[in-house]
Amino acid sequence: MAGPAPSRRFAPAACLAAGLALLAPLAFSLEARAAEDDYTLHPQDQIEVKVGEWDAVAREMKPMEWLSGEHRVGPAGMVDLPVVGRIETTDKTVSDLSEATAQALRERLGLLDELYVSVRILEHAPLFVVGAVEKPGAYPFVPGINTLQAIAVAGGVRRSNSLFTRTDRDAVRALGDHRLQQVERWRILARIARLEAELTDAEEIDVPDELQTVEMSDALIDVEREILKARLDDHQTALTSIRELKDLLHARIEKMRQEMALRSELLDRTREEQDAVSSLVERGLSRNSRVNSVRRELTDLEARQLELEGSILTAEQQLNEADRDEIELVGDRRIDIVTELRDARTELNRIEVRTETADALFAEAARFGSTVSDLAKGATDRTPTFVVTRGGAGSDRVFEAVASTVLQPGDVVEVRAPEIDNVPTLGASALPPRFGADDSTADAELN
């Protein structure tokens, strides 16, 4: 609220308090006023003007209903007010318009008492989002809204069913299949190189010539190296375990044979002793108990000798099983490698057939006029651009915006995506051809 110095002096605080108390239904909230202090009025803004006069005798604020009302800013930036007539709003804030209206009313009515004018925005001029969006049209303006948010309100960039023709879809599908098969072929070639290294017990993989110039060959070969190392370590661990068991069995058998030789010598001496004792008994020089004792000792030694022979036979059987396990381990590994190698080469042949089929389909689609055949060269820029038309004094301003460009009421946002969808544009003849946007700037002036 504003006005020139009054002809009568009143305490500013008292006047302000009285004015706010009587015009409470007419005043803004502090937050709303703060948000609109820097906002300049635009054509099609709907505003509410309320006027009140300070009655010095009654010391109260009296609303002047006949001067109050709702008004819409015209296309030229003018607003028609009672008594005052047409007032220019271009580049004016609500505070500026309040002051200008109060001054004009005082001059026209010749008022001496303090006059208060309150202006608030009821409705901003709408935003218009057109072009390649799902729901083109007018949308309510929200202070601070940017280009990306406006497009989101309009449903986002269009994904129409007519994005590609059937021929285009066939071409894209064939091209995608070709690229997938190409990557799969490289992966199979790296696997074959690893399997061939395993088959020859090599610790390093020879990179195939076809992969020498492929950018992702290092990554593919690194994966296969890890697999080669893991499988080789696993094989060596199993092989080492079997060989350690064989060494243990060999040592055990050798020790038992040495023990068996000693027991054989002991048996021979015991038999000799038995014969001697038996001779003495026959001649009456020794008792039978002595003979029986020697016989029991001989029987015990013979039983232990048989147990030792059985233990040797068991150890030798375990040694034969370990030899067999070692042979099977090496043989099974070789069989697995050969089988995987055969399967990999078979899969490589299938990939070559599928690649040839995809190439043929893509060539066929391109022959029938696919608009996306240039995808094979990666040359098509499919990024949409945003063109904003903003009204101003004298003429409109057209510029290319970025996602973060802050919009104003009445702006027309056109989403251009001719490479994605051939969308007819509003006023396309008046707009400049698209060019690359720089995200480092808020917008770029075109005309």
Side-chain angles (χ1 to χ4, degrees), residues 8 10 18 22 53-62 113:
R8 300 179 184 179
F10 298 97
L22 290 177
E53 181 184 16
W54 176 254
D55 189 336
V57 177
R59 300 187 64 81
E60 63 181 10
M61 185 69 69
K62 294 182 178 180
D113 291 327

Side-chain angles (χ1 to χ4, degrees), residues 155-404:
V157 178
R158 178 181 296 173
R159 297 177 183 176
S160 66
N161 293 331
S162 60
L163 182 62
F164 294 122
T165 65
R166 181 175 179 179
T167 303
D168 291 335
R169 287 195 296 269
D170 290 343
V172 171
R173 187 180 298 110
L175 179 59
D177 289 343
H178 172 86
R179 289 176 175 173
L180 289 175
Q181 297 303 324
Q182 189 177 47
V183 173
E184 186 64 15
R185 174 184 171 81
W186 294 337
R187 190 175 67 83
I188 295 296
L189 286 173
R191 184 194 302 172
I192 290 174
R194 186 255 301 169
L195 290 171
E196 289 175 344
E198 281 190 83
L199 195 60
T200 58
D201 293 327
E203 296 184 357
E204 189 54 50
I205 299 174
D206 291 332
V207 181
D209 294 338
E210 184 175 337
L211 296 181
Q212 295 286 350
T213 57
V214 176
E215 291 184 2
M216 61 185 303
S217 63
D218 290 342
L220 293 172
I221 295 298
D222 286 344
V223 170
E224 298 300 330
R225 282 197 185 103
E226 292 296 325
I227 297 174
L228 174 64
K229 183 178 182 301
R231 291 178 56 153
L232 185 60
D233 289 346
D234 183 66
H235 175 71
Q236 290 297 335
T237 300
L239 202 59
T240 300
S241 177
I242 292 175
R243 288 173 178 172
E244 288 177 352
L245 176 60
K246 288 172 61 177
D247 292 341
L248 181 62
L249 290 172
H250 278 298
R252 184 179 176 186
I253 290 171
E254 181 63 26
K255 185 177 180 180
M256 286 190 295
R257 284 176 176 167
Q258 291 175 0
E259 185 179 353
M260 191 172 177
L262 293 175
R263 286 180 181 276
S264 296
E265 293 179 4
L266 184 57
L267 277 171
D268 291 340
R269 287 196 300 268
T270 304
R271 289 190 183 100
E272 291 175 358
E273 183 181 357
Q274 181 184 9
D275 292 341
V277 172
S278 297
S279 177
L280 290 174
V281 170
E282 289 176 357
R283 289 182 293 170
L285 298 177
S286 179
R287 298 177 181 178
N288 287 330
S289 58
R290 175 61 178 161
V291 175
N292 294 334
S293 175
V294 173
R295 284 178 179 174
R296 283 194 300 271
E297 183 178 354
L298 180 61
T299 301
D300 184 57
L301 287 173
E302 288 175 344
R304 291 182 181 177
Q305 186 79 343
L306 290 175
E307 290 179 1
L308 194 58
E309 289 176 354
S311 298
I312 291 175
L313 290 175
T314 301
E316 288 177 343
Q317 182 181 359
Q318 292 175 346
L319 183 60
N320 290 334
E321 291 176 353
D323 287 335
R324 185 184 63 205
D325 291 343
E326 182 178 4
I327 293 172
E328 288 181 354
L329 179 65
V330 175
D332 289 347
R333 175 174 178 265
R334 185 174 183 83
I335 290 173
D336 290 342
I337 294 173
V338 171
T339 302
E340 290 183 32
L341 194 56
R342 180 201 63 196
D343 293 343
R345 286 169 176 163
T346 301
E347 182 62 23
L348 185 63
N349 291 334
R350 291 196 187 101
I351 290 173
E352 289 175 351
V353 172
R354 288 195 290 263
T355 302
E356 290 174 1
T357 303
D359 290 345
L361 290 174
F362 184 79
E364 185 73 7
R367 187 170 70 85
F368 280 98
S370 169
T371 59
V372 294
S373 59
D374 286 340
L375 282 172
K377 304 175 183 178
T380 303
D381 178 14
R382 310 180 73 81
T383 304
T385 54
F386 317 125
V387 177
V388 174
T389 302
R390 178 170 296 168
S395 62
D396 291 343
R397 189 165 69 102
V398 181
F399 60 91
E400 185 168 342
V402 295
S404 59

Side-chain angles (χ1 to χ4, degrees), residues 141-159:
F141 175 81
V142 178
I145 190 171
N146 60 32
T147 308
L148 186 61
Q149 292 167 338
I151 294 171
V153 171
V157 178
R158 178 181 296 173
R159 297 177 183 176

Side-chain angles (χ1 to χ4, degrees), residues 126-128 130 386-392 395-401 407-416 426-428 430-432 445-447:
L127 281 175
F128 300 91
V130 298
F386 317 125
V387 177
V388 174
T389 302
R390 178 170 296 168
S395 62
D396 291 343
R397 189 165 69 102
V398 181
F399 60 91
E400 185 168 342
L407 301 175
Q408 295 183 9
D411 281 354
V412 178
V413 181
E414 180 182 7
V415 179
R416 289 180 174 180
L426 272 64
L431 294 174
E445 192 74 36
L446 298 190
N447 59 347

